Amino acid sequence: MIPKKARDGNDTWGLLDYLYGPGKRDEHTDPHMVASWSDPYVEDPARSEHMTIADLALILDAPVFALLGKRPDKHVYHVAVRNPPEDRLLTDAEWARVAREMMHASGIAEHGDDDACRWVAIRHADDHIHIVATKARQDGRQPRLRQDIPRMHAAAREFEVEFGLRRLTHGDKTARKWPKTGEQEKATRRGLREPVRETLQRTVREAAAAAMNEEDFFARLTASGIRVRQRVAPDGNVTGYSVAQPGDRDGVTRAVFFSGARLAADLSLPRVRERWQGTPLATAAAVPEMWVEAERRVRAAAQTLGAGGLRSGAGDVAALGDLIVVAAVVSPRLVRDQMRDAAWEFERAARVPGDRALEGQARALYRESSQLLSQSAAAAGRQDTAAALGFMLALVTAIEASQRWHQAQEHRAQAEASGRAGRLLREAVEVTAGASAARSYRARRQRTSGTGRERTRRVPDAAGAPLMAGVVQQALPMQAGAVLADPAWPALKARLAEVEESGQDPAAVLAAVAAQRELTSADSAAEVLTWRLEGWQRLHGAPGSATGKDAASAVPGGSRTAGAARGTRAAGASRRPPGDEQRKGPRRTR
């Protein structure tokens, strides 16, 4: 549950007219009042012939006009309270309770205060309400609104527990800066896949993560094609910067610039400069040596992450976040989408409230790995997916170490972000393993005839799809029972059917991908096998998978879950996101 305060205004009637109206695109359905300051005595304009929107506005504004002394310039207080799409729908009575508690927490109308401000709560959609109040008490005084937003968020956390909703976290000032509604609408009008703010945020983060120094940072920004403007002090020192997307203009045709701090808390120039403090430069290496060297450093860093205390751990996870960003940029095309999604998800985990120490051993190793990958990949020709597999496995270990550290520090939001990033990275590992198996596999046509026992395995089931249980029993006799009972079995079954449609023996293919890496440590063997078959299909061009040049932008298969929640994000990534991609998400082509 997310309370979001809008800017204060001075047109009560205009706001009510919009909330009770059809909306900008007829998105408002059944607008009606669910609660007010004096239930049940205020009539609802949507339900009563004796009350109009103008009348309701006059009643709400009456205490404002009766104020003794100076009136507030902007007296309209507006809060929207929204639930995520996955939450259950609340009833009008439940939303009424939410509205009363929000007004109590904000200081607009505390419980038992008969002279408090007047307010109404309007519902015109299933998942949210709007609360409109006027900032004038009925006793002629003005309300005290100190800490109104944090207190409303605290009330929302209590309702999440009571109503069984998705539990969010208390704000710790480390969340990403989401695009505003106007930015999202502007992107839609221009036909962009994501708001400009998200494109700029991703571009600046990639440049900051890979740069060796300040000069290199600004050179990378310029080379990326965005507009860069430095803020120079009278003494000649650069004190800040801002960036703009070419062609992005405001209403008077001026370029829209975003400072680094407006993009993300860790992208201000002082925070970007932290990345180059006390870090030795790593020399470039050839492929696949760069993956081996980076893997060695990452495994060593995972063992010492956070060993120097809270401040040291904060610096360590920040450097790990940069490493994942660089790894996503230089990763093999086969898994670049999953890697970018993992970097998008880990972004929150890389930011920790409080100060950071910049001399930790793990931080130095992560920074060396970032520089090694950045320098070596620039000179690399063909990327070696098999060589990158060991590094990706080491990165999974590092993310798991960061998750344990966040849990120990009770950083719930960061621990959850680490978990989501780890899942996406494990998916990338298994897709890579499946592709490696496909490279060494000698294609064998499926037999079109056979005797008794083999043919019964291909009898269609009630749904019309080939019965693949026999395929699993033939390929994995020791694990067949667990795989067939796994909740991810339907997705694996669909993948096997696609392999058979391509003309190959699904049992032989399944055995080949299963032998690539062990399955005993997997939480879901069926899901892991589905990911490996996805990598196989991308290389072999089976039905439902991308082939040739399109493999780099193929949409992952049905087992993809974390990325799908993000909506539209990065232009090069496939998903929900808005990221990274979003989500990135929170929509997720990053």
Side-chain angles (χ1 to χ4, degrees):
M1 181 175 290
I2 305 173
K4 183 177 181 181
K5 182 181 175 182
R7 292 180 180 177
D8 293 339
N10 53 22
D11 186 2
T12 307
W13 178 87
L15 177 56
L16 291 175
D17 185 62
Y18 169 74
L19 296 177
Y20 274 106
K24 294 182 178 180
R25 299 178 183 84
D26 296 325
E27 70 272 21
H28 295 175
T29 58
D30 187 26
H32 61 281
M33 187 187 303
V34 295
S36 73
W37 79 96
S38 61
D39 286 342
Y41 304 108
V42 178
E43 295 183 276
D44 183 1
R47 300 287 191 265
S48 172
E49 298 178 356
H50 307 292
M51 177 71 73
T52 66
I53 295 174
D55 292 337
L56 180 59
L58 285 173
I59 296 173
L60 286 170
D61 283 339
V64 178
F65 296 116
L67 278 176
L68 300 176
K70 185 179 179 180
R71 300 172 185 171
D73 293 333
K74 297 184 180 296
H75 65 273
V76 180
Y77 188 90
H78 178 201
V79 174
V81 187
R82 187 181 302 271
N83 284 340
E86 60 268 25
D87 279 346
R88 70 174 180 87
L89 300 183
L90 302 185
T91 65
D92 281 355
E94 289 172 326
W95 277 123
R97 279 198 57 210
V98 170
R100 295 188 190 98
E101 289 298 328
M102 292 298 166
M103 291 296 92
H104 170 74
S106 67
I108 287 287
E110 295 182 352
H111 296 323
D113 187 353
D114 295 334
D115 293 325
C117 301
R118 296 181 176 183
W119 60 272
V120 293
I122 299 165
R123 183 181 189 181
H124 57 205
D126 289 335
D127 61 351
H128 70 277
I129 59 172
H130 291 263
I131 308 174
V132 180
T134 48
K135 295 192 296 184
R137 291 172 51 85
Q138 298 177 77
D139 58 7
R141 296 183 292 120
Q142 294 187 22
R144 292 173 59 92
L145 302 177
R146 290 189 60 185
Q147 297 294 310
D148 54 338
I149 292 298
R151 291 173 62 186
M152 283 192 286
H153 275 277
R157 303 295 82 79
E158 295 179 5
F159 277 118
E160 289 163 1
V161 176
E162 179 181 350
F163 292 159
L165 308 177
R166 175 186 174 187
R167 297 185 62 183
L168 304 181
T169 57
H170 286 288
D172 59 6
K173 301 185 185 301
T174 63
R176 67 167 43 238
K177 296 184 184 296
W178 295 96
K180 298 178 181 178
T181 302
E183 295 172 14
Q184 295 171 339
E185 293 175 349
K186 184 178 181 180
T188 301
R189 290 195 304 270
R190 295 181 59 194
L192 304 179
R193 297 184 64 181
E194 65 181 356
V196 169
R197 180 193 294 265
E198 295 199 352
T199 303
L200 294 174
Q201 185 187 92
R202 185 179 63 255
T203 303
V204 173
R205 186 172 300 283
E206 290 175 357
M212 310 276 235
N213 49 51
E214 188 167 324
E215 181 181 357
D216 187 22
F217 170 63
F218 285 115
R220 287 175 182 271
L221 289 182
T222 303
S224 68
I226 64 176
R227 299 180 62 182
V228 184
R229 188 167 63 187
Q230 297 182 10
R231 185 171 66 250
V232 182
D235 60 0
N237 292 324
V238 178
T239 60
Y241 72 98
S242 57
V243 292
Q245 185 82 343
D248 185 30
R249 305 279 178 174
D250 62 11
V252 291
T253 70
R254 293 176 300 192
V256 180
F257 278 87
F258 293 83
S259 66
R262 286 182 61 198
L263 295 177
D266 57 345
L267 293 182
S268 64
L269 187 57
R271 290 291 301 274
V272 171
R273 284 170 171 161
E274 287 181 356
R275 292 165 165 86
W276 310 312
Q277 295 183 22
T279 303
L281 297 180
T283 57
V287 179
E289 284 78 9
M290 74 167 187
W291 296 114
V292 176
E293 283 298 312
E295 176 187 353
R296 181 182 62 80
R297 287 176 168 86
V298 170
R299 290 192 183 279
Q303 297 176 0
T304 61
L305 189 149
L310 178 60
R311 294 178 67 250
S312 175
D316 294 345
V317 295
L320 176 57
D322 283 344
L323 174 59
I324 300 173
V325 169
V326 172
V329 173
V330 304
S331 60
R333 291 184 179 276
L334 186 73
V335 292
R336 193 164 293 171
D337 287 347
Q338 286 94 339
M339 294 291 290
R340 281 176 169 165
D341 283 348
W344 192 96
E345 290 289 0
F346 194 81
E347 180 187 326
R348 179 71 182 275
R351 289 192 293 269
V352 178
D355 296 332
R356 295 155 300 285
L358 306 178
E359 62 275 0
Q361 181 180 358
R363 178 183 181 276
L365 290 169
Y366 288 142
R367 287 297 297 159
E368 288 178 11
S369 301
S370 298
Q371 293 170 5
L372 177 64
L373 294 183
S374 181
Q375 292 180 74
S376 302
R382 174 179 169 273
Q383 289 175 325
D384 194 331
T385 305
L389 182 59
F391 168 77
M392 292 163 61
L393 285 167
L395 210 53
V396 170
T397 303
I399 291 179
E400 291 173 346
S402 74
Q403 184 177 16
R404 291 191 298 269
W405 182 81
H406 281 306
Q407 289 170 341
Q409 309 304 323
E410 298 185 355
H411 297 157
R412 199 176 93 188
Q414 287 81 358
E416 291 175 354
S418 297
R420 294 191 297 269
R423 172 180 169 79
L424 285 164
L425 198 55
R426 284 191 292 272
E427 178 182 347
V429 166
E430 301 303 344
V431 169
T432 303
S436 298
R439 286 193 178 92
S440 59
Y441 177 78
R442 306 188 89 181
R444 185 173 53 178
R445 288 278 173 186
Q446 180 188 347
R447 294 174 57 182
T448 56
S449 63
T451 61
R453 183 178 176 186
E454 183 174 1
R455 287 215 277 214
T456 57
R457 295 194 194 105
R458 301 292 182 263
V459 176
D461 62 11
L467 186 63
M468 292 295 168
V471 170
V472 177
Q473 292 168 350
Q474 178 183 351
L476 307 170
M478 302 299 293
Q479 296 139 315
V483 170
L484 295 176
D486 196 299
W489 161 241
L492 175 59
K493 178 180 176 181
R495 290 285 183 189
L496 289 170
E498 291 172 358
V499 170
E500 186 172 56
E501 289 173 11
S502 70
Q504 293 183 329
D505 184 356
V509 171
L510 183 62
V513 298
Q516 190 68 18
R517 290 186 63 241
E518 56 86 21
L519 291 170
T520 55
S521 62
D523 294 332
S524 170
E527 186 174 50
V528 167
L529 291 170
T530 303
W531 288 337
R532 293 184 190 176
L533 288 177
E534 180 184 332
W536 179 287
Q537 288 177 293
R538 290 189 187 184
L539 218 61
H540 277 281
S545 66
T547 60
K549 295 180 180 180
D550 293 334
S553 58
V555 177
S559 60
R560 185 74 170 277
T561 57
R566 283 196 347 233
T568 55
R569 278 214 151 33
S574 57
R575 79 177 117 268
R576 76 175 160 197
D580 184 85
E581 301 159 297
Q582 145 100 282
R583 302 296 251 129
K584 176 205 36 36
R587 306 178 11 138
R588 263 182 171 232
T589 45
R590 194 165 46 257

